[in-house]
Amino acid sequence: TGIFHFSSAHRSCVSDRAKYNKTTEGKMPVDLLNPTPESEASKHKLKRLVQSPNSFFMDIKCPGCFQITTVFSHAQTVVVCAGCNVVLCQPTGGRARLTEGCSYRKKVD
């Protein structure tokens, strides 16, 4: 007759919310504006706080003649050393696999 009655389920839901607000005191369990480097590295490249690619250019040192060759990290062709014709890396579905004995470093701008 125009008067609303709340069920006991609604009352318990309201009391649960009140308990939650008191215990968390307005703090989020994770800081969304300052994520840890580990959590950023594990995220997809488009879902990071600042979008950044997973690929990079690298200098690979040939184990035989120690000549340095610049290679893309996700190379889709076999890369051969120009000096001694040794295979430096082989393509896979994602990143290129370095030949055993090859060392690399990321290129800096």
Side-chain angles (χ1 to χ4, degrees):
T1 62
I3 298 174
F4 295 101
H5 295 284
F6 293 108
S7 67
S8 62
H10 177 74
R11 276 188 232 121
S12 67
C13 180
V14 170
S15 67
D16 288 345
R17 257 188 258 135
K19 287 179 191 173
Y20 176 77
N21 289 338
K22 287 180 184 175
T23 57
T24 59
E25 298 175 7
K27 293 183 180 178
M28 301 263 316
V30 177
D31 187 4
L32 298 176
L33 290 177
N34 301 307
T36 61
E38 295 84 25
S39 68
E40 282 291 289
S42 66
K43 288 183 184 176
H44 187 269
K45 63 182 180 177
L46 297 177
K47 299 203 177 203
R48 295 181 184 138
L49 190 59
V50 176
Q51 295 179 1
S52 60
N54 293 328
S55 57
F56 52 92
F57 286 94
M58 55 187 172
D59 286 333
I60 298 179
K61 187 186 288 185
C62 176
C65 64
F66 301 108
Q67 184 175 352
I68 294 177
T69 308
T70 302
V71 179
F72 187 58
S73 64
H74 291 64
Q76 295 180 341
T77 59
V78 175
V79 178
V80 180
C81 177
C84 60
N85 290 332
V86 172
V87 175
L88 297 177
C89 66
Q90 295 178 339
T92 62
R95 287 202 178 146
R97 181 181 300 126
L98 291 179
T99 305
E100 197 169 321
C102 290
S103 58
Y104 79 97
R105 69 173 181 200
K106 286 186 179 181
K107 279 279 244 200
V108 213
D109 291 336

